[in-house]
């Protein structure tokens, strides 16, 4: 008999596990993922599927993480907003604790579509520290003129203090990525002041030779900024927040949530994760995000099959061997999120044929 001496239960968050409804059936027909098919078909979770607003200011998995860690936006009662993570981001980048209401600010690129502006996926910007410092200094001088403090975190992440904008509702970068940004622009008290400052910085950047040099190197010009994550200093997480013994493979800005787990997020493969001590763990598998945000569904298909090999097959084997007692799959898409619970006992439902139909239903 096998005995579990490591992780007992695991929540697995799979952003964009649901492909778009209009292409889902074609995509899953091409999937070669028997382990994932077994986990999906033999797990329980039909009651855990719920629709989400495709125009929300945070993606479904981002909201799930924020709620799970007790960090839902403080001003969500007046309309949804991005998670209040500015101070957590400042701590993560080694900046001293600062009083006031701060926002995360990203230099970015928008391009003109037929009749609107579209925000690119910021992973594609390739902004180095030298260019970022030049842009930052130009922006900081304009912020100083209106009494706003701008701090440099790293090339892609800055911070602005705006104590008079606490009710400003903002969107995460990924929620707006690839879309008409008008819907996701900041709204509420302070939005006009922000747009004025944003426009002034954009015009000043336009006069710099830096962007011409970037384009000559085949890089996108940095022509805009994205504001989100407004938070007050010392704002505590909700007492109802979930507690994880370990968090694994959080990436990008989701690493900030590792500050609110019992142990900081670490990178791990299946063996290290399964053998890690603890009653409960959280694993983020975000290999599908970039393909989904750029509508590259062929790459999405490749990503699912890579996850099958690297994660789903080893985790299914661990469940069957008793090294892991249960796991909870949380799959999200643009318009829904579902939770599917799988245990050793549920795998014994041999009469249920493995399949991926849940991804298209």
């Amino acid at each position: 008999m096998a005995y579990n001496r490591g992780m007992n239960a695991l929540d697995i968050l799979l952003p964009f596990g649901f492909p778009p409804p209009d292409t889902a059936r074609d995509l899953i027909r091409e999937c070669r993922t028997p382990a994932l098919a077994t986990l999906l078909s033999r797990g329980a979770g039909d009651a855990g599927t719920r629709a989400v607003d495709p125009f929300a200011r945070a993606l479904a998995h981002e909201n799930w993480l924020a709620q799970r860690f007790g960090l839902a936006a403080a001003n969500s009662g007046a309309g949804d907003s991005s998670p209040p993570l500015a101070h957590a981001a400042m701590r993560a980048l080694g900046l001293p604790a600062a009083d006031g209401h701060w926002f995360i600010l990203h230099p970015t690129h928008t391009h003109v579509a037929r009749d609107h502006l579209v925000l690119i996926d910021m992973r594609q910007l390739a902004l180095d520290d030298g260019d970022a410092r030049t842009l930052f200094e130009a922006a900081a001088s304009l912020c100083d003129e209106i009494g706003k403090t701008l701090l440099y975190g790293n090339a892609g992440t800055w911070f602005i203090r705006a104590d008079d904008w606490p009710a400003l509702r903002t969107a995460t970068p990924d929620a707006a990525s690839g879309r008409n940004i008008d819907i996701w622009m900041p709204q509420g008290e302070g939005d006009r002041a922000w747009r004025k400052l944003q426009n002034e910085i954009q015009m000043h950047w336009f006069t710099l030779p830096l962007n011409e040099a970037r384009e000559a190197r085949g890089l996108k010009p940095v022509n805009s900024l994205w504001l989100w994550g407004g938070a007050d200093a010392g704002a505590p997480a909700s007492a109802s927040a979930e507690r994880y013994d370990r968090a694994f493979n959080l990436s990008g800005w989701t690493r900030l949530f590792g500050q609110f787990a019992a142990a900081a997020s670490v990178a791990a493969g299946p063996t290290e994760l399964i053998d890690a001590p603890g009653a409960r763990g959280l694993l983020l598998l975000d290999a599908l995000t970039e393909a989904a945000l750029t509508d590259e569904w062929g790459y999405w298909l490749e990503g699912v099959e890579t996850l099958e090999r690297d994660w789903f097959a080893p985790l299914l084997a661990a469940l069957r061997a008793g090294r892991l007692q249960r796991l909870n799959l949380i799959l999200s898409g643009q318009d829904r999120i579902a939770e599917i619970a799988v245990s050793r006992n549920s795998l014994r439902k041999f009469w249920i044929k493995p399949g991926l139909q849940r991804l298209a239903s």
Side-chain angles (χ1 to χ4, degrees):
M1 178 179 294
Y3 294 93
N4 176 52
R5 296 177 179 175
M7 190 64 59
N8 184 47
L10 185 65
D11 285 352
I12 303 173
L13 182 59
L14 183 62
F16 296 100
F18 288 119
D22 57 342
T23 60
R25 293 192 182 278
D26 291 335
L27 285 170
I28 67 173
R29 193 178 297 119
E30 298 298 322
C31 278
R32 302 293 180 264
T33 55
L36 177 60
T38 299
L39 294 170
L40 289 175
S41 57
R42 295 185 180 171
D46 289 337
T49 301
R50 64 183 186 275
V52 297
D53 181 2
F55 299 105
R57 291 178 170 270
L59 294 174
H61 72 278
E62 296 173 334
N63 272 327
W64 186 90
L65 279 168
Q67 292 164 6
R68 186 57 53 108
F69 284 101
L71 292 167
N75 58 355
S76 59
D80 67 333
S81 191
S82 57
L85 286 168
H87 283 275
M90 294 170 80
R91 288 193 297 271
L93 290 170
L95 295 176
D99 293 333
H101 193 84
W102 289 82
F103 290 88
I104 302 169
L105 190 62
H106 298 297
T108 188
H109 172 82
T110 59
H111 69 267
V112 180
R114 181 177 301 176
D115 57 0
H116 58 270
L117 292 175
V118 175
L119 180 72
I120 69 156
D121 179 0
M122 294 184 188
R123 300 167 186 82
Q124 301 177 2
L125 193 60
L127 181 62
D128 63 31
D129 190 68
D131 285 354
R133 291 281 183 181
T134 299
L135 295 166
F136 175 85
E137 294 300 331
S141 64
L142 294 171
C143 291
D144 287 342
E145 290 177 7
I146 62 168
K148 295 284 187 289
T149 301
L150 194 64
L151 292 180
Y152 188 92
N154 62 24
T157 307
W158 310 342
F159 303 91
I160 184 169
R161 180 174 178 174
D163 294 349
D164 50 340
W165 299 349
L168 192 61
R169 301 189 303 279
T170 60
T172 66
D174 280 353
S177 181
R179 301 178 173 190
N180 180 349
I181 63 172
D182 287 346
I183 300 171
W184 285 272
M185 288 288 284
Q187 294 181 357
E189 187 175 354
D191 59 359
R192 290 185 179 180
W194 161 244
R195 287 192 179 95
K196 184 174 184 294
L197 176 60
Q198 181 186 37
N199 288 337
E200 290 175 351
I201 293 173
Q202 288 173 313
M203 288 188 292
H204 193 69
W205 283 356
F206 183 76
T207 67
L208 299 176
L210 178 148
N211 276 322
E212 287 187 14
R214 282 179 58 85
E215 290 185 279
R217 304 199 307 271
L219 300 173
K220 296 183 183 298
V222 184
N223 60 9
S224 191
L225 303 109
W226 196 256
L227 182 85
W228 71 287
D232 289 315
S238 167
S240 63
E242 297 285 346
R243 300 295 179 227
Y244 288 101
D245 299 295
R246 296 288 189 277
F248 301 94
N249 297 356
L250 301 184
S251 62
W253 68 261
T254 63
R255 283 196 299 266
L256 303 176
F257 289 113
Q259 298 179 30
F260 306 99
S265 175
V266 296
T271 300
E272 297 92 342
L273 180 151
I274 294 163
D275 292 338
R280 190 177 185 191
L282 170 66
L283 168 66
L284 174 65
L285 299 177
D286 69 344
L288 310 179
T289 299
E290 188 169 352
L293 291 178
T294 54
D295 289 325
E296 297 283 354
W297 297 103
Y299 290 122
W300 179 92
L301 187 60
E302 292 177 10
V304 172
E305 294 180 351
T306 299
L307 290 174
E308 168 78 10
R309 181 194 66 222
D310 294 347
W311 287 101
F312 299 133
L315 289 172
L316 177 59
L319 268 177
R320 284 175 166 157
R323 295 177 63 201
L324 182 66
Q325 295 302 308
R326 62 186 185 276
L327 59 81
N328 192 36
L329 280 170
I330 303 98
L331 298 94
S332 72
Q334 288 286 3
D335 61 353
R336 60 181 161 149
I337 190 167
E339 300 193 26
I340 299 168
V342 190
S343 67
R344 285 189 76 194
N345 287 336
S346 69
L347 293 179
R348 298 191 177 102
K349 299 176 182 177
F350 61 88
W351 59 90
I352 299 178
K353 183 179 179 180
L356 299 172
Q357 293 83 357
R358 272 180 162 159
L359 298 185
S361 60

